[in-house]
Amino acid sequence: MTPAQALMEEAQPIHPAPTSFWRRYVFSIDHKMIAKQFLWAGLLFLLVGGALAMLIRWQWGFPYRPVPLVGRLLFGESGVIGPATYQQIFTTHGLVMIFFAVTPVLIGTFGNLLIPLMIGARDMAFPRLNMYSFWTFLLSQLLVLASFFAPLGSAGAGWTTYTPLSTNVGMPGMGQTLVVAAIFVTGVSSTMGAVNYITTVIRLRAPGMTYMRLPLTIWGLWLTAILNALFVPVLGSAALLLLLDRSFGTEFFVAGASAVRGGGDPILWQHLFWIFGHPEVYIMILPAWGILGDVLSFFARKPHHWYRGTVWAMVLVTVLSAMVYGHHMFMTGMSPLLGEGFMLFTLLISIPSMVVVVNWVLTLWQGSLRYDTPMLFALGTVFVFGVGGLTGLFLGDISMDLYLHDTMFVVGHFHFTMAAASVMGAFTGIYFWFPKMFGRRLGERLGKIHFWFTFLGLTLVFGGQLLAGYAGQERRLFDPFQYTFIQGLRGLNRWTSYFAFALFTGQLFFVVNFFRGVFGRRAAPAGPNPWHVTTLEWTATSSPPPFHNFDRIPEVVRGPHELSNPEVRRLTGRDFAGQAELLPGDGAAAVAARKG
Amino acid sequence: MAQREERGREPAPGLVRDLTRYRRRPHGAERTAYVGMAVFLGSWAMLFVALFFAYAFLRARAPSWPPLDAPPLPRLLPGLNTLVIAASSAAVVRATRSQELRRPRGVTAALAAAVVLGAIFLLVQGVVWSGLWRQGLVPAGGPYPSVFYAFTAFHALHVVVGLAALAWLAVRARAGGESLRTDVRLWGWYWHFVGVVWGVLYLTVYLA
């Protein structure tokens, strides 16, 4: 053991695993268990959000027609979605998906599971804070669920909660208050998580795990945590002021009529919301980028192309993401000069983003690709993210945005990035790290069927939205066909809905696969390293890892993508070498020299 | 790397001051706690940054600030309060020093002083609130009173949390013990943070 290892061992002693049911599964401070808790909570709400989306699609495909199967149960005798209910459906669909489904899966699950395992730590820096973070998150989920039972129903001001619609003037019900409170509470949870993630990566990297040896997944999660720490509190303060407006009669967002006192300003909400909201877009995609960076390399059996370039590009995107929020507000009458500044920075983001994408493609170039399910999802993510990113250029440009603003084109664009790319990135991660979490692999057959349903489904549904928006269909309308010029789009909307129903049904394959993987006893154990890859969680511990992760804190000797190196093959007969693997003969002198 | 140094190098013999400094040097877990607290306070500061952004935004758009019919905010009492909370911060610094020197009695005394000063701060703030309320400044009277009440109340909430923590630490400090060192320091940071926020609040809301 090297002195550096000894120090880390001393700092992170092995504690006995808890034995009681409550300590083990419920009030757990083990990052792996908390990751699973986030996974269950997130997947459950993904189902809720998806079901809400189906109702929206029904409304757009077949307005004023009773919803089959569940209509009479949910919407009374007629079974038809009413306008007020419809508003609540699309509002909560957005909020549930963003804050309570994708965020917990991408950040809660993978952040918790992977950060300690991939950097060679025994747990998070603050395990107890980690537990509080999950329970706070659960509280926020309960608040959202409670809002559905409030008089006048749940929130209905859109997921962006724009004022004055979201103040008492527009939404007097208790439901909106509960949802705003839920946003605040989930923000507190995210902040706790972010503090933990940032500190863990700074302080608990195993000896030899320099920043430039971190797996790209960790880079993605770490940058995400930084964005979370900086900008979620901004949303928190906006939610706080809105709560004060709703409950204590202050006037931050309600425009007053008095010439003497002046009044609050509804636009203020948009500023605060988007100062948070644009970084949030990257909060939801950076973890997926990181996962992709590693998974593409692993399944192409090649080192990631220009690792440093990808890292710095991701850092640059993180920085720029904080400087572009105004492009959501081109239509609020902001100064044209300011607008052009925001446009410039927005379009600039495409440069580092392209560096990342080109690096992915060059990683695949001449690789020996293995088409396992995680790889399929990763490739699909590259495609849908590409479409999402390219359509973003249209919206970032002011003169185009004036036409496309508030159309379904916007909806299609952000669904390609935040929904398609983030969700498929999350599925990439789930299929890839499932053996590490549960000790068994997910079924390949079901996985591949699930992939094709998901990939084609997402592309067709959101592609349909892009087309509808380009033809002028506005978003959020209860009945888009009240406008004569949209009536020609009935067929398009109906087909988009059919694809959406297929997409939703296709998720059943995942549900079956997932339950079989978790609870089934038929599949053989996956073994410590089923994908034959290099990072610490696969090469330095078992699947699933013991409570203390590593019997001995590993000493890292190389970067995360040591694949297809002829020298490694000569020495080991394998085409990969673990990050902490000391090869026979190789570098023995170097190791000795390092030890002094 | 820094850890390796602190373990590897024995303190230079001779000077007692060097020895004390060596003893004061934080160990690994403590350092991790400091990093975490720094990240947390930086993150939490963004919440106040956003609040002050909202204030600037509303003020820039208001026809007149303060509104013509609003009672003037007092300056003297909050000014005194600024001194009180600064003194309270100084008491916490004192507590940290006593902790370093292993004088549990001193720690308790200093923390108790900080708590008393903090309570006085809240009391004075309550006097300011009730005075303004009686003069007709209520939260529902437009953005000016909204900003005033929301900011001061939110800050006061942070003071209450700090007071509870410091009081609890003062009780624990009576028993002495090395493990308290990190807690005293970290809550000290929090307390200074709350003080700095008050400083900015006083300058921008009361004075400017």
Side-chain angles (χ1 to χ4, degrees):
Chain A
M1 206 191 315
T2 63
Q5 270 173 304
L7 268 179
M8 291 309 270
E9 287 278 352
E10 196 188 335
Q12 307 173 62
I14 295 181
H15 297 290
T19 46
S20 86
F21 175 81
W22 292 98
R23 285 271 158 229
R24 234 178 119 180
Y25 295 107
V26 185
F27 298 103
S28 174
I29 56 167
D30 176 15
H31 71 102
K32 300 181 288 298
M33 184 53 67
I34 294 171
K36 286 181 196 173
Q37 291 172 334
F38 269 113
L39 183 65
W40 282 103
L43 286 180
L44 198 69
F45 267 64
L46 196 65
L47 189 70
V48 174
L52 290 166
M54 292 308 108
L55 293 175
I56 302 174
R57 273 319 326 177
W58 179 263
Q59 175 64 25
W60 288 344
F62 311 93
Y64 308 111
R65 299 255 293 272
V67 180
L69 305 174
V70 291
R72 295 184 60 163
L73 195 71
L74 295 176
F75 312 113
E77 271 310 292
S78 65
V80 177
I81 304 173
T85 317
Y86 164 76
Q87 259 195 319
Q88 293 169 15
I89 291 172
F90 77 70
T91 298
T92 41
H93 161 70
L95 286 168
V96 161
M97 282 299 200
I98 288 171
F99 291 111
F100 306 105
V102 177
T103 305
V105 172
L106 265 183
I107 303 173
T109 305
F110 295 124
N112 273 310
L113 177 76
L114 299 176
I115 289 178
L117 281 175
M118 286 183 123
I119 66 173
R122 291 240 156 92
D123 203 324
M124 284 284 178
F126 311 112
R128 202 163 294 276
L129 184 70
N130 212 4
M131 176 181 82
Y132 296 144
S133 165
F134 174 73
W135 285 98
T136 317
F137 173 74
L138 203 66
L139 173 67
S140 70
Q141 281 192 327
L142 292 178
L143 283 172
V144 170
L145 289 183
S147 77
F148 284 104
F149 301 100
L152 298 182
S154 185
W159 87 272
T160 49
T161 320
Y162 272 3
T163 52
L165 195 56
S166 58
T167 63
N168 284 335
V169 180
M171 293 296 301
M174 189 65 195
Q176 183 76 46
T177 309
L178 285 174
V179 168
V180 175
I183 293 175
F184 183 83
V185 174
T186 199
V188 172
S189 158
S190 288
T191 310
M192 287 197 248
V195 168
N196 222 340
Y197 296 178
I198 295 174
T199 313
T200 307
V201 172
I202 293 177
R203 292 289 304 164
L204 297 186
R205 280 169 293 121
M209 181 61 92
T210 59
Y211 281 99
M212 283 300 156
R213 281 178 180 168
L214 285 178
L216 288 168
T217 307
I218 299 302
W219 267 107
L221 288 165
W222 194 54
L223 294 171
T224 303
I226 291 173
L227 282 179
N228 256 334
L230 286 176
F231 294 107
V232 168
V234 177
L235 177 71
S237 81
L240 191 75
L241 296 182
L242 183 56
L243 280 177
L244 291 177
D245 265 16
R246 293 185 62 84
S247 306
F248 295 96
T250 58
E251 289 178 14
F252 288 102
F253 302 116
V254 187
S258 164
V260 185
R261 288 168 173 167
D265 196 333
I267 296 293
L268 171 61
W269 172 268
Q270 294 197 24
H271 279 284
L272 291 176
F273 185 83
W274 288 118
I275 288 176
F276 150 80
H278 199 80
E280 168 72 11
V281 174
Y282 291 89
I283 287 169
M284 290 179 67
I285 198 66
L286 276 168
W289 280 13
I291 290 172
L292 243 57
D294 284 332
V295 168
L296 288 174
S297 157
F298 292 154
F299 287 87
R301 310 310 292 174
K302 270 179 67 190
H304 185 89
H305 183 266
W306 197 25
Y307 169 90
R308 271 166 195 270
T310 302
V311 168
W312 286 113
M314 278 161 66
V315 172
L316 205 58
V317 166
T318 308
V319 174
L320 282 173
S321 78
M323 298 156 68
V324 301
Y325 80 91
H327 66 217
H328 294 271
M329 298 169 63
F330 284 150
M331 302 287 274
T332 54
M334 66 162 60
S335 130
L337 186 66
L338 204 57
E340 280 182 19
F342 279 125
M343 174 173 101
L344 180 72
F345 281 122
T346 305
L347 298 182
L348 271 181
I349 284 200
S350 58
I351 297 172
S353 305
M354 264 306 119
V355 171
V356 173
V357 174
V358 167
N359 276 348
W360 291 339
V361 175
L362 288 177
T363 304
L364 298 175
W365 182 258
Q366 293 197 329
S368 34
L369 271 58
R370 296 181 182 176
Y371 296 101
D372 294 305
T373 314
M375 181 59 161
L376 287 180
F377 271 97
L379 292 172
T381 313
V382 174
F383 176 78
V384 291
F385 178 74
V387 177
L390 289 175
T391 49
L393 290 175
F394 293 84
L395 296 169
D397 180 284
I398 297 178
S399 44
M400 269 309 263
D401 185 64
L402 298 185
Y403 288 95
L404 295 172
H405 181 83
D406 249 355
T407 63
M408 293 295 293
F409 191 86
V410 179
V411 177
H413 156 69
F414 75 71
H415 274 86
F416 261 111
T417 52
M418 289 171 78
S422 295
V423 168
M424 287 188 64
F427 276 128
T428 308
I430 291 174
Y431 279 98
F432 185 69
W433 279 289
F434 190 89
K436 199 39 75 180
M437 277 192 271
F438 298 100
R440 280 179 293 272
R441 278 174 66 157
L442 284 169
E444 278 293 312
R445 238 174 105 84
L446 285 175
K448 281 179 178 149
I449 300 173
H450 174 225
F451 165 75
W452 285 110
F453 267 101
T454 308
F455 174 63
L456 293 178
L458 290 170
T459 310
L460 290 170
V461 173
F462 303 143
Q465 292 183 342
L466 285 178
L467 289 178
Y470 200 71
Q473 182 177 334
E474 297 229 349
R475 68 192 283 201
R476 291 186 177 137
L477 292 182
F478 171 66
D479 173 18
F481 312 110
Q482 59 188 297
Y483 299 104
T484 26
F485 76 103
I486 299 298
Q487 297 204 344
L489 300 181
R490 266 182 201 279
L492 175 63
N493 274 288
R494 205 160 277 185
W495 273 102
T496 310
S497 292
Y498 290 139
F499 290 134
F501 301 147
L503 166 66
F504 189 70
T505 317
Q507 303 311 304
L508 203 65
F509 293 102
F510 173 72
V511 175
V512 171
N513 206 353
F514 188 79
F515 275 85
R516 263 197 203 167
V518 177
F519 299 109
R521 289 284 174 267
R522 263 195 301 167
N529 192 2
W531 310 113
H532 306 293
V533 292
T534 55
T535 43
L536 291 180
E537 84 275 26
W538 300 109
T539 48
T541 185
S542 54
S543 305
F547 179 66
H548 53 269
N549 288 355
F550 302 98
D551 292 333
R552 174 172 292 182
I553 302 271
E555 176 164 50
V556 176
V557 290
R558 60 175 68 79
H561 304 129
E562 191 69 43
L563 294 153
S564 296
N565 179 341
E567 182 65 10
V568 171
R569 189 186 292 276
R570 189 181 65 78
L571 288 165
T572 64
R574 285 182 269 119
D575 70 339
F576 68 97
Q579 278 197 274
E581 188 180 348
L582 281 177
L583 294 181
D586 156 67
V591 172
R594 204 171 35 246
K595 284 176 184 166
Chain B
M1 295 306 106
Q3 275 183 349
R4 194 176 295 173
E5 276 169 34
E6 93 200 8
R7 304 279 160 158
R9 203 158 20 116
E10 282 300 309
L15 284 173
V16 179
R17 234 177 60 202
D18 273 8
L19 263 174
T20 2
R21 201 177 288 161
Y22 175 77
R23 207 171 54 199
R24 271 190 213 152
R25 219 178 268 164
H27 57 80
E30 211 175 332
R31 217 179 271 236
T32 303
Y34 293 158
V35 173
M37 193 65 176
V39 174
F40 167 71
L41 288 181
S43 171
W44 211 242
M46 281 302 285
L47 200 123
F48 285 99
V49 168
L51 287 183
F52 284 108
F53 172 85
Y55 170 39
F57 188 87
L58 289 174
R59 184 164 177 166
R61 298 210 162 185
S64 67
W65 196 279
L68 301 176
D69 60 346
L73 296 181
R75 293 183 166 186
L76 182 65
L77 276 182
L80 286 176
N81 239 353
T82 312
L83 297 180
V84 169
I85 206 159
S88 183
S89 257
V92 170
V93 173
R94 180 86 209 162
T96 321
R97 294 253 334 247
S98 300
Q99 183 67 38
E100 301 293 350
L101 302 170
R102 300 175 188 218
R103 292 182 190 143
R105 211 174 276 274
V107 180
T108 309
L111 285 177
V115 171
V116 170
L117 286 166
I120 292 175
F121 171 88
L122 280 183
L123 207 69
V124 174
Q125 190 59 38
V127 172
V128 171
W129 278 329
S130 67
L132 284 168
W133 197 290
R134 260 184 277 118
Q135 291 177 56
L137 196 73
V138 291
Y144 181 73
S146 298
V147 166
F148 171 73
Y149 282 109
F151 283 29
T152 47
F154 193 52
H155 177 264
L157 205 64
H158 284 76
V159 174
V160 170
V161 171
L163 283 185
L166 291 179
W168 179 59
L169 278 179
V171 173
R172 276 172 64 204
R174 287 203 318 194
E178 190 68 347
S179 64
L180 215 58
R181 181 166 103 157
T182 320
D183 294 19
V184 172
R185 281 233 184 143
L186 292 183
W187 280 107
W189 285 13
Y190 172 84
W191 196 240
H192 301 325
F193 173 80
V194 173
V196 169
V197 169
W198 172 260
V200 179
L201 209 156
Y202 178 62
L203 284 178
T204 56
V205 176
Y206 285 96
L207 288 189

